[in-house]
DNA sequence: GTCTATAGGGCGATAGAC
DNA sequence: GTCTATCGCCCTATAGAC
């Protein structure tokens, strides 16, 4: 890692096109790919179809990304990063709200939910180690983020202290993921309405009549 | 459609092999297919691979099932039916317990969870109307079943009455689905532990100290 | 009725020309 | 750095043997 590569730790980016020109082109392809997925979803997204929509050959795509799998995961990563900045600005005691917000952002671009779900389902299978690593890491990261917020809430007295933060974090994430898919299949499913029920779990013993 | 077809409404079964011999053979293939998926998951399940594992040609499979998609959905349906009988016997006031039970049954056969998730993700895409219809119907059915149990609980005073049964049902299902996938990616996720938190939502205002 | 054999078109991936 | 050509595999469809 010498002259002008990208971030030292970014193995995927370094694998091909590690120098200025290549990096720029890679970014451009990624950006265009996100647009394509957002608009059309995963429907018939062969390497050839993606390449055509972008205006290159499918072999050119494979010059920048070692496989279809890695290209698609990079699209998810880029889309995730794009929104993470927003979350940091939010009230650090929010727990369900942060997921509701994310869920609504996602269903606004159904293609991304479709891509996310498909890659997640695929990541369980053998031979999809790259996907598996991404999703393992993503869930780990997301749970840690929520656990931290839950603990802040517990210390502040706004969240019941008799609940396991890890179990709660996993639950909130699972509910958010699951509701997005149900909503895509049937828009009468009320994502926010269902997620808000989780606030009932969080609230300390209430002085309810 | 003349002599001895199966149930008139069962379009999928009627499409091919509508006669006693064919129906039996179809069932046999389905049973074998379930075993294959349970053991190996969705990994490399081309029609040819499934056919080989069962011991027939891939064309023979297509004689009984009009497409790979429909075969796979039939596998899910058969697997679902297999367990539905068990649920009917359970305590009719159970809500979270019924899902915890189902979730644990599922993670015992990871291949089925993998198949389920993949087909569910795929069902969102265009051209997968058969899958979409199955999952729409399944979620509708499942929500209705839970709504009924929730309403019984509300009438009996064991469930808070200020919660929307529909929203609650969708939440419980979403959480169960999402947790199964998280568990497959990271076994330290405690499915039952997380789902049990939902019981806190259900309980009426407690006389907690 | 049940199944085998075969053909068409698309896929991801690779090799090598320019 | 990007392309064309090609490989082996896949799903689907169909003709016709038994």
């Amino acid at each position: 890692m010498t002259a002008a590569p990208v971030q030292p730790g970014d193995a995927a980016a370094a694998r091909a096109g590690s120098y200025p020109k290549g990096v720029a082109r890679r970014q451009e392809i990624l950006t265009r790919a996100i647009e394509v997925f957002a608009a059309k979803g995963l429907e018939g997204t062969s390497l050839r179809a993606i390449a055509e929509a972008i205006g290159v050959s499918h072999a050119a795509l494979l010059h920048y990304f070692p496989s279809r799998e890695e290209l698609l995961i990079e699209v998810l990563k880029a889309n995730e990063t794009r929104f993470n900045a927003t979350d940091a600005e939010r009230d650090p005691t929010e727990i369900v709200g942060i997921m509701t917000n994310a869920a609504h952002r996602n269903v606004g671009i159904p293609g991304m939910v479709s891509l996310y779900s498909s890659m997640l389902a695929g990541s369980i299978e053998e031979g999809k180690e790259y996907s598996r690593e991404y999703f393992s890491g993503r869930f780990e990261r997301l749970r840690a983020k929520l656990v931290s917020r839950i603990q802040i809430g517990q210390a502040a007295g706004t969240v019941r202290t008799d609940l396991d933060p890890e179990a709660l974090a996993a639950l909130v994430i699972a509910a958010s993921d699951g509701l997005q898919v149900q909503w895509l299949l049937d828009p009468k499913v009320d994502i926010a309405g269902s997620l808000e029920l989780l606030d009932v779990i969080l609230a300390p013993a209430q002085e309810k009549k």
Side-chain angles (χ1 to χ4, degrees), chain A:
Chain A
M1 216 121 302
T2 51
V6 271
Q7 303 92 317
D10 196 338
R15 208 166 303 178
S18 297
Y19 291 81
K21 178 77 180 304
V23 172
R25 187 86 180 96
R26 195 188 131 101
Q27 251 317 310
E28 190 188 324
I29 290 177
L30 217 45
T31 306
R32 290 281 298 123
I34 290 180
E35 291 168 20
V36 171
F37 281 111
K40 306 202 320 165
L42 191 60
E43 176 194 347
T45 49
S46 64
L47 273 183
R48 282 166 176 81
I50 302 169
E52 191 187 359
I54 293 181
V56 296
S57 77
H58 80 277
L61 254 47
L62 290 175
H63 178 70
Y64 292 98
F65 303 89
S67 69
R68 186 182 114 105
E69 181 191 1
E70 299 204 19
L71 166 60
L72 266 44
I73 293 293
E74 293 307 317
V75 169
L76 287 177
K77 282 186 186 171
N79 190 61
E80 191 186 357
T81 310
R82 193 149 64 102
F83 285 131
N84 260 7
T86 322
D87 279 349
E89 301 164 7
R90 295 180 72 88
D91 179 354
T93 66
E94 252 191 337
I95 295 159
V96 172
I98 197 177
M99 295 307 289
T100 308
N101 186 48
H104 267 116
R105 247 169 12 204
N106 288 340
V107 296
I109 32 178
M112 277 296 161
V113 180
S114 169
L115 176 60
Y116 171 85
S117 305
S118 278
M119 296 304 289
L120 176 55
S123 74
I124 294 164
E125 293 159 57
E126 225 158 318
K128 295 284 176 65
E129 279 70 31
Y130 192 82
S131 301
R132 193 175 215 286
E133 210 153 318
Y134 167 65
F135 283 108
S136 291
R138 190 189 107 94
F139 282 122
E140 192 89 48
R141 222 178 316 132
L142 218 49
R143 282 193 297 258
K145 181 163 147 188
L146 285 177
V147 163
S148 145
R149 283 170 175 254
I150 290 165
Q151 286 170 337
I152 290 173
Q154 288 178 329
T158 57
V159 175
R160 294 172 57 138
T161 54
D162 61 340
L163 303 175
D164 175 19
E166 278 286 348
L168 190 48
L171 177 70
V172 176
I173 295 165
S176 175
D177 279 10
L179 284 167
Q180 289 177 48
V181 177
Q182 280 189 59
W183 180 84
L184 282 178
L185 282 170
D186 186 348
K188 84 157 195 272
V189 170
D190 178 2
I191 297 179
S194 285
L195 280 179
E196 277 160 14
L197 296 178
L198 289 175
D199 278 325
V200 176
I201 288 185
L202 301 179
Q206 66 276 50
E207 58 287 77
K208 207 163 168 294
K209 56 107 204 322

